Amino acid sequence: MRRLNRKKTLGLIKELDAFPKVPESYVETSASGGTVSLIAFTTIAFLTIMEFMVYRDTWMKYEYEVDKDFTSKLRINIDITVAMRCQYVGADVLDLAETMVASADGLIYEPVPFELTPQQKELQRMLQVIQSRLQEEHSLQDVIFKSAFKSASTALPPREDNSLQSPDACRIHGHLYVNKVAGNFHITVGKAIPHPRGHAHLAALVSHESYNFSHRIDHLSFGELIPGIINPLDGTEKIASDHNQMFQYFITVVPTKLHTYKISAETHQFSVTERERVINHAAGSHGVSGIFMKYDISSLMVTVTEEHMPFWQFLVRLCGIIGGIFSTTGILHGFGRFVAEIIFCRFRLGSYRSTSVPLPDGHTSNHLPLITDNSTH
């Protein structure tokens, strides 16, 4: 009984076999089939390698939501060199809430030469090339996000000692904490002093001949400082054509949460629009000479997440490639053989076309001669 049940079970399993085996004696190989099989295996190997490279790669996913954090402070990271002596310039922040943040709260004034060393010029040129490519190919930003903390810092290398070059400029660097509202970070003539109706700068003691707001922005960012991230104004250099000249940067800051397989940080992206003009009250161009960075905080927050293809999806795509190639090549091979057989069949029929047979009465017959038993002997 047990053996009978086993035989029935095995018979039932055999009937469920979706892959019936054909005896080798019934299998016929051909040169065309071998060629198609070779092409199929080569295609499968190539697509499998390409799919594995896609599986290894990652991509950035962008999600948007309303920023509900209004109480925290916004950090501004600054590294700007102005072509004036440090005693002649002052930097501070004034926001829409009329709150003034003085530069003494986190900025350092360092006398330096405005001219860069050859090594620093090389890095600045590299940053400018990257900035121009980023404006043309926005997908490069994903590469920068994924390489954060892994690539070298974008800060200028330290200046080599050169006693012959006197410090004719002022490097203002450090960071400030401001309210998360629109504000204006500016560098102008004279040190800032508090005022009941706002603030003022002691510019009366500085002659107009010493005004020179040529400047270089080595770094400007908002939020947590992340090495490897290139910001839109990094490497910017502006040369003033007049003593009384105003440089304006209109900045829109977007809070950003960055989550990659290497880091998880909260930073801020920003876009910028530039404008510069000469102050000439007689011509109707009013204002104050200096560098003004007017920033506004976006109400939307962007979450950038690095994602990877799941392993099960990779297996499904791999099975689709193998099965699809086999099915497609099999169909094409069968269709090709069908067409070839039709062509060869017509060719063979054409070789047996009717021939003229002379008759005794002088006429000809176009019919094929009958094949009789005597003709075969």
Side-chain angles (χ1 to χ4, degrees), residues 287-355:
V288 179
S289 303
I291 305 167
F292 298 86
M293 297 183 178
K294 299 181 179 181
Y295 60 89
D296 192 7
I297 313 297
S298 174
S299 59
L300 292 179
M301 180 176 62
V302 181
T303 302
V304 184
T305 308
E306 185 178 9
E307 291 192 344
H308 187 272
M309 180 188 297
F311 183 70
W312 65 266
Q313 188 176 352
F314 169 70
L315 291 179
V316 170
R317 292 165 66 100
L318 196 61
C319 292
I321 289 174
I322 296 174
I325 293 297
F326 269 119
S327 300
T328 304
T329 53
I331 294 173
L332 293 177
H333 180 240
F335 180 75
R337 290 190 62 180
F338 175 74
V339 174
E341 287 178 358
I342 292 178
I343 295 174
F344 289 151
C345 183
R346 290 185 176 180
F347 179 75
R348 290 173 182 174
L349 289 175
S351 63
Y352 292 103
R353 288 180 301 178
S354 59
T355 57

Side-chain angles (χ1 to χ4, degrees), residues 64 80 86 133 204 222 249 271 334 364:
Y64 303 89
I80 301 175
C86 291
R133 293 297 301 274
F222 297 83
Y249 299 92
S271 61
T364 58

Side-chain angles (χ1 to χ4, degrees), residues 3-294:
R3 291 181 179 178
L4 184 60
N5 292 334
R6 289 179 181 176
K7 289 182 179 180
K8 289 183 178 180
T9 304
L10 289 176
L12 181 60
I13 293 176
K14 289 181 179 180
E15 291 180 359
L16 297 175
D17 187 7
F19 309 97
K21 306 299 185 294
V22 180
E24 293 184 1
S25 58
Y26 296 161
V27 177
E28 180 183 358
T29 58
S30 63
S32 61
T35 303
V36 173
S37 299
L38 183 61
I39 295 174
F41 288 135
T42 304
T43 306
I44 289 173
F46 175 74
L47 293 180
T48 300
I49 295 173
M50 296 298 294
E51 190 66 26
F52 181 72
M53 294 176 63
V54 173
Y55 170 72
R56 289 186 56 191
D57 195 13
T58 60
W59 61 87
M60 309 305 292
K61 178 182 178 181
Y62 293 82
E63 297 178 334
Y64 303 89
E65 58 181 318
V66 177
D67 185 16
K68 301 179 181 179
D69 184 12
F70 305 106
T71 59
S72 63
K73 295 287 186 177
L74 176 64
R75 171 170 168 160
I76 306 179
N77 307 295
I78 302 164
D79 191 351
I80 301 175
T81 302
V82 185
M84 293 180 65
R85 298 187 180 275
C86 291
Q87 62 266 28
Y88 295 157
V89 295
D92 61 344
V93 177
L94 185 66
D95 59 24
L96 289 181
E98 296 185 355
T99 302
M100 188 186 79
V101 180
S103 59
D105 296 337
L107 296 183
I108 300 173
Y109 293 79
E110 179 184 352
V112 293
F114 188 75
E115 186 70 20
L116 294 176
T117 63
Q119 185 180 6
Q120 291 175 331
K121 288 182 179 179
E122 185 66 26
L123 179 59
Q124 186 188 32
R125 281 195 296 267
M126 182 188 70
L127 284 175
Q128 292 174 350
V129 171
I130 294 175
Q131 295 288 9
S132 61
R133 293 297 301 274
L134 281 173
Q135 294 177 2
E136 298 175 358
E137 303 178 15
H138 300 285
S139 59
L140 291 178
Q141 187 64 46
D142 293 351
V143 180
I144 294 176
F145 280 147
K146 289 191 286 186
S147 63
F149 275 149
K150 293 191 296 184
S151 58
S153 175
T154 57
L156 290 178
R159 177 178 292 274
E160 302 171 358
D161 292 335
N162 189 357
S163 58
L164 300 178
Q165 198 169 8
S166 60
D168 57 349
C170 183
R171 178 190 176 198
I172 304 173
H173 60 99
H175 60 272
L176 297 173
Y177 288 94
V178 299
N179 299 321
K180 291 187 69 174
V181 296
N184 182 8
F185 170 75
H186 53 274
I187 302 173
T188 187
V189 178
K191 301 299 181 182
I193 58 173
H195 193 273
R197 296 183 179 179
H199 76 295
H201 288 263
L202 291 174
L205 301 179
V206 182
S207 64
H208 288 274
E209 301 299 327
S210 60
Y211 286 15
N212 185 3
F213 284 100
S214 300
H215 61 281
R216 182 177 60 251
I217 304 176
D218 297 324
H219 180 80
L220 180 71
S221 64
F222 297 83
E224 184 179 348
L225 187 61
I226 303 178
I229 297 295
I230 300 177
N231 298 278
L233 287 176
D234 293 354
T236 300
E237 183 174 272
K238 299 290 184 180
I239 303 299
S241 58
D242 192 272
H243 293 291
N244 297 325
Q245 192 156 349
M246 173 190 288
F247 296 91
Q248 293 176 307
Y249 299 92
F250 300 93
I251 300 173
T252 301
V253 183
V254 181
T256 304
K257 289 184 178 180
L258 182 62
H259 301 287
T260 67
Y261 290 104
K262 297 294 182 180
I263 65 168
S264 180
E266 293 187 5
T267 182
H268 291 72
Q269 303 178 82
F270 66 90
S271 61
V272 60
T273 302
E274 304 175 12
R275 184 189 178 193
E276 60 182 82
R277 59 188 176 92
V278 176
I279 302 301
N280 188 349
H281 298 286
S285 178
H286 304 290
V288 179
S289 303
I291 305 167
F292 298 86
M293 297 183 178
K294 299 181 179 181

